[in-house]
């Protein structure tokens, strides 16, 4: 209404005339729609009533046939059937034939209606079609009247019509031969005659009637022929036992009365136009005054809102001249509103040595190269203090939708950047403290891992003493060479563990796991012989990428733990088994994994200890440090693999290390027979 009152009188008259014409059209349309809806509703109601009358007639015929079938023994009394059939044919104009049939469909007796009703070919009635056979079986099986689906009968070369049959079951003295005595009464209705004789006469005279199946297939048509350009249609279902039909009625669209609708619409519109004109004239001045008050209030509200903002607002026209700044922007830069309005680049709050950067950014913004994410810059206050700002640019659109400039939202983020710098320093200090705390873990891990090569050196040195005492100088060179290798290995352990703790990149090289295990066999055999155990190997040739020294430490840790776990069991069960095999992925044949398993038959791990088995400083041994398995898991994770524990069904433990593969080797190439594990005994001087 406010917009209508603000228009000029000439435009107001045009608008009112258009409104009148539209309202007249709406009233006429509603009147026609109402009348058409009334016709549609009346036709649908008549259709439902007609179909109900037809269904009632058929129900009465069903009941009469059932009563007659119960009273008469027609299988023995054929004359009684003939008399009854003639009575029903005379009473129902839609019936053209009544038959008595055995349960297998064979014809017993038939009575045809005389002229003028159509006669069915006798030879066509000797055998039943599929629809009638189905209905006959259903009627006898369920002991109730059943209708067949409509089917077509060719009466002459020129044409035929659709038939529908009513099957009523009857029995003659049921007993031991009940199934053989089953029979049924078949009543044949031509669909066109059924519609023409049983639907109400006034309904047939007004509408074109058609019977269709549920899928729309036309079965029969009756009633008056309808012609015209548009039609009104209605439909109602005719649900029969065994058959579902739809009765459709169609009538020509009747001409609607225009004069009453036009007069009614005119009176309504004239009254409405008068009310609108008085209302508009009365509210015209009031709306103008209210609009002025609303504008003043809106301006005051917007001014208060802008003054309360802590975000600086700056407006520039298409040439870059400042046209508006809010108090927050003035407080941020230290300049007054008068000092900033009307200023063109370079701006007084720009940094002198970065003027080229500011001008380039301003040129991009004026060219429309603006992102919603904003950009960060640095301004200078009037007192010379510099501060960081985050600026968001948006187009400035006037009331007519024209682009007149750019609006900037400026946020002072200098305090945020200062807090971020403090956080970075604290984080760096935390990293330094973390590295210092890890020195203790490194020393513990090194002392734990150096026990193995140092123990091997001791064993080899004792062997050298024995060889010298026995004056066996031949194997002495091999023992001294082994001492040198283990000394070098101790140095590698120190360097590898140190690099690992410092979180440096692990040096990954091609490692042949089977060859690595063979090189470690003397050390593993020393551990095995210490507890009088046996060593079994089942190895496939597998090559991975990893750090060989760290992998050796992992394997020696696991084998030593396995041997320690078997000290308290029967010597016969002290078997250490090492398995190495390659698993090809079932999804991608170019990738797979390698599994290295260490199995023992010791006491195993209790269920309560499994969850924290790989935790640092947790050990099931009385004198254990609890860093071995934690170290193994860390190494496997750094190499991109995994380590897992599983208990064995016969007792003992199984540790499985899984390594990713990129190019799996053929599975058939193995160093040992997988079906018969190899038992190796590595000799060494006592």
């Amino acid at each position: 209404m406010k917009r209508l009152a603000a228009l000029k009188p000439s435009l107001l008259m045009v608008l009112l005339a258009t409104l009148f014409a539209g309202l007249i059209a709406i009233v006429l349309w509603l009147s026609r729609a109402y009348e058409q809806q009334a016709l549609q509703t009346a036709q649908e109601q008549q259709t439902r009533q007609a179909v109900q009358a037809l269904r009632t007639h058929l129900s009465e015929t069903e009941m009469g046939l059932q009563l007659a079938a119960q009273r008469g023994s027609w299988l023995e009394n054929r004359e009684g059937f003939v008399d009854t059939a003639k009575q029903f044919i005379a009473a129902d104009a839609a019936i053209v034939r009544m038959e008595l049939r055995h349960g297998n469909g064979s014809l017993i007796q038939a009575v045809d209606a005389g002229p003028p009703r159509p006669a069915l070919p006798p030879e066509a009635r000797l055998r039943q079609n599929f629809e009638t056979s189905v209905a006959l079986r259903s009627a006898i099986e369920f002991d109730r009247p059943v209708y067949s689906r409509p089917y077509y009968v060719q009466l002459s070369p020129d044409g035929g019509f659709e038939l529908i049959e009513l099957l009523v079951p009857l029995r003659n003295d049921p007993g031991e031969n009940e199934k053989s005595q089953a029979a049924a009464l078949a009543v044949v209705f031509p669909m066109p005659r059924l519609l023409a004789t049983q639907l109400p006469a006034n309904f047939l005279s007004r509408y074109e009637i058609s019977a269709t199946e549920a899928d729309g297939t036309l079965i029969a048509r009756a009633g008056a022929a309808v012609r015209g350009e548009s039609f009104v249609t209605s439909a109602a279902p005719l649900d029969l036992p065994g058959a579902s039909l739809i009765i459709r009625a169609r009538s020509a669209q009747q001409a609607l009365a225009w004069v009453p609708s036009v007069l009614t619409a005119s009176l309504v519109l004239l009254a409405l136009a008068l009310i609108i004109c008085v209302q508009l004239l009365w509210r015209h001045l009031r709306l103008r005054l209210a609009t002025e008050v609303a504008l003043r209030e809106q301006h005051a509200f917007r001014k208060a809102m802008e003054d309360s903002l802590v975000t600086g607002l700056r407006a520039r026209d298409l040439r870059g001249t400042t046209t508006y700044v809010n108090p927050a922007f003035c407080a941020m830069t230290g300049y007054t509103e008068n000092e900033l309005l009307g200023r063109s680049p370079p701006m007084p709050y720009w940094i002198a040595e970065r003027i080229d950067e500011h001008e380039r950014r301003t040129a991009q913004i004026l060219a429309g190269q603006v992102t919603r994410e904003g950009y960060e810059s640095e301004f200078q206050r009037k007192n010379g203090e510099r501060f960081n700002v985050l600026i968001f640019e948006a187009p400035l659109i006037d009331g007519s939708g024209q682009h007149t400039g750019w609006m900037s939202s400026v946020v002072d983020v200098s305090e945020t950047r200062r807090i971020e710098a403090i956080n970075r320093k604290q984080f760096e200090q935390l990293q330094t403290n973390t590295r210092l705390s890890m020195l203790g873990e490194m020393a513990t891990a090194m002392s734990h891992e150096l026990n193995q090569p140092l123990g091997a050196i001791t064993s080899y040195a004792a062997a050298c003493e024995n060889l010298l005492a026995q004056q066996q100088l031949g194997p002495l060179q091999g023992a001294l060479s082994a001492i040198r290798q283990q000394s070098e290995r101790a140095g590698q352990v120190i360097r590898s563990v140190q690099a690992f703790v410092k979180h440096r990149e692990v040096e990954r090289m091609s490692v042949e796991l089977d060859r690595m295990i063979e090189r470690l066999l003397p050390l593993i055999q020393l551990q095995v012989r210490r507890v009088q155990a046996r060593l079994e190997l089942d190895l496939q040739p597998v090559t991975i990428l990893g750090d060989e020294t760290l992998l050796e430490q992992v394997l020696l840790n696991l084998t030593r733990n396995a041997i320690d776990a078997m000290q308290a069991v029967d010597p016969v069960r002290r078997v250490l088994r090492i398995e190495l095999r390659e698993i090809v992925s079932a999804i991608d044949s170019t990738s797979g994994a390698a599994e290295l398993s260490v199995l023992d038959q010791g006491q195993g791990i209790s269920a309560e200890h499994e969850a924290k088995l790989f935790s640092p400083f947790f050990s099931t041994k009385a004198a254990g440090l609890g860093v071995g398995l934690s170290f193994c898991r860390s190494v496997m994770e750094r190499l991109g693999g995994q380590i897992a524990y599983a208990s064995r069904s016969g007792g003992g433990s199984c540790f499985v290390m899984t390594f990713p593969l990129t190019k799996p080797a053929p599975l058939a190439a193995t160093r040992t027979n997988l079906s018969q594990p190899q038992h190796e005994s590595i000799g060494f001087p006592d």
Side-chain angles (χ1 to χ4, degrees):
M1 298 298 292
K2 293 182 180 180
R3 294 183 178 180
L4 290 176
L7 295 175
K8 295 181 179 180
S10 58
L11 294 178
L12 185 60
M13 295 302 297
V14 173
L15 182 60
L16 288 176
T18 305
L19 179 63
F20 292 160
L23 289 176
I24 291 175
I26 291 174
V27 170
L28 293 177
W29 180 82
L30 291 175
S31 177
R32 289 177 59 84
Y34 174 78
E35 189 172 353
Q36 184 176 0
Q37 182 64 29
L39 293 175
Q40 179 72 33
T41 303
Q43 181 172 329
E44 291 178 354
Q45 183 178 2
Q46 293 177 7
T47 303
R48 288 193 297 270
Q49 292 175 352
V51 173
Q52 182 62 34
L54 176 59
R55 184 69 187 95
T56 301
H57 172 76
L58 293 176
S59 298
E60 293 175 353
T61 303
E62 296 169 13
M63 294 177 60
L65 290 173
Q66 284 182 299
L67 293 175
Q70 292 176 359
R71 291 195 301 266
S73 299
W74 291 341
L75 294 179
E76 291 79 10
N77 186 8
R78 305 291 179 83
E79 295 180 357
F81 164 73
V82 173
D83 295 339
T84 302
K86 290 180 178 179
Q87 294 175 5
F88 274 94
I89 292 174
D92 193 339
I95 301 176
V96 297
R97 182 182 175 93
M98 289 184 63
E99 300 173 344
L100 188 63
R101 290 184 178 271
H102 281 300
N104 58 7
S106 60
L107 182 64
I108 302 175
Q109 186 73 28
V111 177
D112 290 302
R117 304 184 191 183
L120 302 179
E123 63 278 2
R125 301 302 302 174
L126 293 179
R127 63 183 183 279
Q128 284 187 312
N129 54 29
F130 176 76
E131 289 82 358
T132 308
S133 301
V134 173
L136 177 62
R137 289 195 299 270
S138 298
I140 294 175
E141 181 177 355
F142 296 106
D143 194 21
R144 64 183 180 89
V146 176
Y147 288 85
S148 68
R149 289 188 59 190
Y151 60 93
Y152 183 77
V153 174
Q154 185 79 24
L155 297 181
S156 65
D158 297 333
F161 47 75
E162 297 276 345
L163 297 179
I164 187 171
E165 296 189 28
L166 169 62
L167 284 304
V168 179
L170 58 91
R171 299 182 182 277
N172 185 20
D173 297 332
E176 296 181 356
N177 297 327
E178 182 178 355
K179 292 185 178 179
S180 62
Q181 294 295 330
L185 178 64
V187 181
V188 184
F189 299 97
M191 284 302 300
R193 187 172 183 82
L194 180 63
L195 298 178
T197 58
Q198 301 305 323
L199 290 176
N202 59 344
F203 184 70
L204 292 170
S205 62
R206 296 182 59 184
Y207 304 107
E208 181 183 82
I209 313 302
S210 61
T212 64
E213 291 186 321
D215 59 358
T217 304
L218 179 64
I219 298 175
R221 182 179 284 115
V226 178
R227 289 175 174 78
E229 296 182 357
S230 59
F231 302 93
V232 178
T233 60
S234 59
L238 177 61
D239 293 326
L240 302 174
S244 294
L245 305 177
I246 297 177
I247 305 300
R248 304 180 186 274
R250 189 174 71 159
S251 63
Q253 179 71 51
Q254 300 180 5
L256 302 178
W258 287 92
V259 176
S261 301
V262 172
L263 293 177
T264 302
S266 300
L267 293 176
V268 171
L269 290 177
L270 288 176
L272 182 61
L274 181 60
I275 294 174
I276 292 177
C277 290
V278 174
Q279 182 80 3
L280 292 177
L281 293 175
W282 177 66
R283 297 187 61 184
H284 180 71
L285 293 176
R286 293 183 58 189
L287 289 177
R288 287 182 63 91
L289 295 176
T291 302
E292 293 177 0
V293 173
L295 287 175
R296 287 195 296 269
E297 292 178 351
Q298 184 179 8
H299 177 74
F301 175 78
R302 180 179 176 183
K303 180 64 175 172
M305 182 178 63
E306 292 175 355
D307 293 344
S308 65
L309 290 176
V310 296
T311 300
L313 297 179
R314 175 190 63 183
R316 293 178 291 179
D317 60 16
L318 296 177
R319 295 176 297 180
T321 303
T322 302
T323 58
Y324 168 80
V325 289
N326 71 334
F329 188 82
C330 295
M332 189 182 300
T333 59
Y335 294 93
T336 63
E337 183 178 356
N338 295 330
E339 291 176 324
L340 295 176
L341 293 180
R343 291 291 299 266
S344 299
M347 297 300 177
Y349 45 82
W350 286 0
I351 299 176
E353 60 268 21
R354 301 179 63 179
I355 287 181
D356 293 340
E357 177 184 346
H358 289 300
E359 289 181 346
R360 183 173 62 256
R361 176 75 68 175
T362 301
Q364 292 176 353
I365 294 172
L366 296 180
Q369 301 176 9
V370 178
T371 60
R372 296 180 60 89
E373 293 78 11
Y375 63 94
E376 191 168 340
S377 184
E378 188 177 10
F379 285 171
Q380 179 174 291
R381 293 187 174 93
K382 191 174 183 179
N383 59 7
E385 180 185 355
R386 298 186 179 185
F387 61 101
N388 297 97
V389 292
L390 183 62
I391 305 175
F392 299 90
E393 301 283 352
L396 188 61
I397 309 299
D398 63 5
S400 61
Q402 297 295 324
H403 181 203
T404 60
W406 298 91
M407 176 62 74
S408 306
S409 299
V410 183
V411 182
D412 186 354
V413 295
S414 56
E415 183 65 19
T416 304
R417 297 296 176 262
R418 187 182 67 83
I419 296 175
E420 290 177 354
I422 295 175
N423 291 337
R424 283 196 299 270
K425 291 181 180 179
Q426 292 178 347
F427 182 72
E428 292 173 359
Q429 184 64 34
L430 180 61
Q431 285 185 328
T432 302
N433 295 338
T434 303
R435 291 183 180 273
L436 291 176
S437 65
M438 294 182 67
L439 290 176
E441 297 181 13
M442 181 182 69
T444 304
M446 289 177 62
S447 63
H448 181 271
E449 298 303 326
L450 287 176
N451 285 333
Q452 297 170 352
L454 292 178
I457 292 174
T458 303
S459 299
Y460 284 123
C464 290
E465 292 178 355
N466 293 335
L467 291 174
L468 289 174
Q470 298 173 8
Q471 295 183 355
Q472 297 182 11
L473 302 181
L476 183 61
Q477 183 178 0
L480 292 175
S481 176
I483 291 176
R484 179 182 56 79
Q485 293 176 0
Q486 293 302 318
S487 299
E488 293 176 353
R489 186 169 175 274
Q492 292 178 355
V493 168
I494 295 174
R495 291 190 296 272
S496 298
V497 173
Q498 184 180 13
F500 177 75
V501 174
K502 289 184 178 180
H503 293 280
R504 297 175 180 171
E505 287 296 329
V506 176
E507 184 180 0
R508 299 196 180 191
M509 302 178 62
S510 179
V511 179
E512 296 181 0
L513 290 179
D514 52 332
R515 299 294 186 185
M516 183 194 74
I517 296 172
E518 292 176 354
R519 287 193 294 271
L520 291 178
L521 284 180
L523 296 179
I524 299 174
Q525 188 66 25
L526 286 175
Q527 298 174 350
V528 169
R529 293 169 61 184
R530 178 169 54 85
V531 296
Q532 298 180 355
R534 299 196 317 275
L535 175 63
E536 294 183 358
L537 299 178
D538 186 0
L539 307 178
Q540 288 183 351
V542 175
T543 302
I544 65 169
L545 292 178
D547 190 310
E548 184 171 357
T549 303
L550 292 178
L551 290 176
E552 290 177 353
Q553 299 306 307
V554 171
L555 182 58
L556 290 176
N557 270 336
L558 296 179
T559 55
R560 183 187 58 198
N561 291 342
I563 292 172
D564 292 342
M566 294 189 294
Q567 289 185 4
V569 301
D570 188 0
V572 180
R573 298 185 62 232
R574 297 175 186 173
V575 178
L576 174 64
R577 181 175 177 82
I578 301 176
E579 296 179 355
L580 175 62
R581 64 192 59 213
E582 181 178 331
I583 302 175
V584 180
S585 173
I587 300 177
D588 187 2
S589 60
T590 63
S591 64
E595 285 188 355
L596 176 57
S597 304
V598 178
L599 304 93
D600 64 70
Q601 297 184 5
Q603 297 177 346
I605 306 296
S606 62
E608 60 180 349
H609 291 161
E610 286 187 16
K612 48 186 177 179
L613 190 59
F614 295 96
S615 301
F617 303 106
F618 172 78
S619 177
T620 58
K621 304 176 184 178
L625 295 177
V627 297
L629 291 180
S630 176
F631 178 80
C632 294
R633 183 180 65 176
S634 300
V635 170
M636 292 301 297
E637 291 176 353
R638 290 290 297 276
L639 296 177
Q642 295 178 349
I643 183 171
Y645 165 79
S647 59
R648 302 184 68 183
S649 58
S653 303
C654 175
F655 286 88
V656 181
M657 292 174 285
T658 306
F659 304 90
L661 292 179
T662 56
K663 294 182 179 180
L667 291 176
T670 59
R671 298 186 187 277
T672 59
N673 189 352
L674 298 179
S675 61
Q676 297 179 356
Q678 179 181 359
H679 301 272
E680 297 188 7
S681 178
I682 309 299
F684 193 80
D686 294 332

